[in-house]
Amino acid sequence: MVLDKDTAKKTAELLLQINAIKLKPENPFTWASGWRSPIYCDNRIILSYPVIRNYMREQLGKQLETLYGKPDVIAAVATGAIGIGMLVAEYLGLPFIYVRPEAKAHGRQNQIEGHLEANQNVVVIEDLISTGKSSLNAVEALRNSGANVKGMLAVFSYGFAVANDNFKNSNVELHTLSDYDHLLQQATETNYIKEDQHKTLMEWRTNPATWQQ
C-alpha cells in the first residue's frame, strides 16, 4: 500500500531519472526467474546519488515513524536492501541488522547479522517487492528468532496479485514509497512512454509469468 500519492509519484520520477527503473516494452529484459519483462528495477543504484538516497532515507524514515513509531531495531533484506536499510536506521538513530536468504555454512552460521534480542519490535526495509518470497523469508527468520515484526517498508513494488496474497497469508503489513501504478502514471504524464507502451506494460503485469512481447 502506498501511504502518500505525491511521494509515490516523486519516487517514481527519481527512479526513472537515474535509470534505477528502465522501461523497454519493445526490447524486454529476462529476469533471473526466466520471466520476460518490459521493466527492470535495480534500486541499489539509488546509493550512488547522494541527493536521491537522502530523499529515500527521509521518506522511508518519516513513513516508518508515522506507521509504527520507533521500533527497537531496523532490519534489511540482504543483499539489495542493506544499504537503504542502514540509511534508514541511521536517520532514526536505531540499531541495524540484516537477514541473509539462508544461514551461512561456515563461521557462526548466522542468518541474521547483528544483535537482536527476543521480543524486540522490528520493522523490515526492502528495496523491491516482486512476488514477496525472499522478503517474507526474512520475516520468517526474524520471527523464528523471537522478533516482533511490526511490518515492512519498501521503495517499490510491482503490485503483483501473488505478492498481495503472500503478504496477506503471512500476516505481514506492507507499505511502499511507490508502486507500478504510480510509476506508469508518472511515465505517461511526462511522455516517458507512449499510449501503446502503457498498454503493453499493463498487459504484462496481469500475467508476467506467461507474458510474451
Side-chain angles (χ1 to χ4, degrees), residues 45-64:
I45 294 174
I46 292 168
L47 302 176
S48 297
Y49 295 85
V51 173
I52 293 174
R53 77 180 180 221
N54 286 341
Y55 174 84
M56 301 297 178
R57 175 194 67 179
E58 292 171 13
Q59 292 303 318
L60 285 167
K62 290 176 181 177
Q63 290 196 14
L64 190 154

Side-chain angles (χ1 to χ4, degrees), residues 22-31 34-40 200-201 204 208 211-213:
K22 294 183 178 182
L23 300 174
K24 292 186 177 181
E26 294 82 14
N27 187 24
F29 302 94
T30 300
W31 288 4
W35 287 6
R36 296 281 287 168
S37 170
I39 179 174
Y40 192 84
T200 298
L201 288 158
W204 168 77
W211 179 81
Q212 295 295 325
Q213 184 182 3

Side-chain angles (χ1 to χ4, degrees), residues 60-72 74 92 94 123 150:
L60 285 167
K62 290 176 181 177
Q63 290 196 14
L64 190 154
E65 283 194 295
T66 297
L67 291 163
Y68 306 111
K70 276 198 175 183
D72 299 309
I74 298 296
L92 295 173
L94 293 173
V123 174
K150 303 292 289 184

Side-chain angles (χ1 to χ4, degrees), residues 1 7 10 34 55-57 66 86 110 119 145 148 154 165 167 191 194 206:
M1 177 186 296
T7 299
K10 181 64 175 179
Y55 174 84
M56 301 297 178
R57 175 194 67 179
T66 297
M86 182 65 224
N110 290 339
N119 299 316
S145 294
N148 176 25
D165 290 342
F167 275 88
N191 295 317
K194 299 177 182 179
T206 302

Side-chain angles (χ1 to χ4, degrees), residues 73-76 78 82 95-100 102-104 106-116 142 145:
V73 179
I74 298 296
I82 291 177
F96 174 74
I97 61 176
Y98 68 86
V99 187
R100 298 175 180 274
E102 57 187 17
K104 292 194 298 185
H106 58 281
R108 295 194 299 165
Q109 300 181 334
N110 290 339
Q111 183 172 6
I112 299 172
E113 297 289 359
H115 181 69
L116 176 66
L142 290 165
S145 294

Side-chain angles (χ1 to χ4, degrees), residues 25-26 188 193-203:
E26 294 82 14
T188 301
I193 58 173
K194 299 177 182 179
E195 185 176 345
D196 59 334
Q197 293 174 312
H198 183 279
K199 181 181 178 181
T200 298
L201 288 158
M202 289 299 293
E203 289 173 348

Side-chain angles (χ1 to χ4, degrees), residues 90-187:
E90 181 67 17
Y91 178 77
L92 295 173
L94 293 173
F96 174 74
I97 61 176
Y98 68 86
V99 187
R100 298 175 180 274
E102 57 187 17
K104 292 194 298 185
H106 58 281
R108 295 194 299 165
Q109 300 181 334
N110 290 339
Q111 183 172 6
I112 299 172
E113 297 289 359
H115 181 69
L116 176 66
E117 298 179 7
N119 299 316
Q120 284 190 308
N121 293 324
V122 178
V123 174
V124 183
I125 300 296
E126 182 65 287
D127 65 323
L128 174 66
I129 304 294
S130 53
T131 65
K133 183 178 179 180
S134 59
S135 306
L136 292 170
N137 180 62
V139 171
E140 182 180 6
L142 290 165
R143 286 173 169 171
N144 288 341
S145 294
N148 176 25
V149 178
K150 303 292 289 184
M152 182 179 296
L153 269 75
V155 175
F156 185 80
S157 170
Y158 293 113
F160 294 145
V162 64
N164 297 334
D165 290 342
N166 287 339
F167 275 88
K168 182 179 180 180
N169 293 336
S170 297
N171 194 28
V172 178
E173 185 177 87
L174 172 67
H175 289 84
T176 65
L177 292 188
S178 192
D179 59 17
Y180 197 72
D181 291 330
H182 287 88
L183 171 72
L184 294 192
Q185 182 181 352
Q186 179 65 23

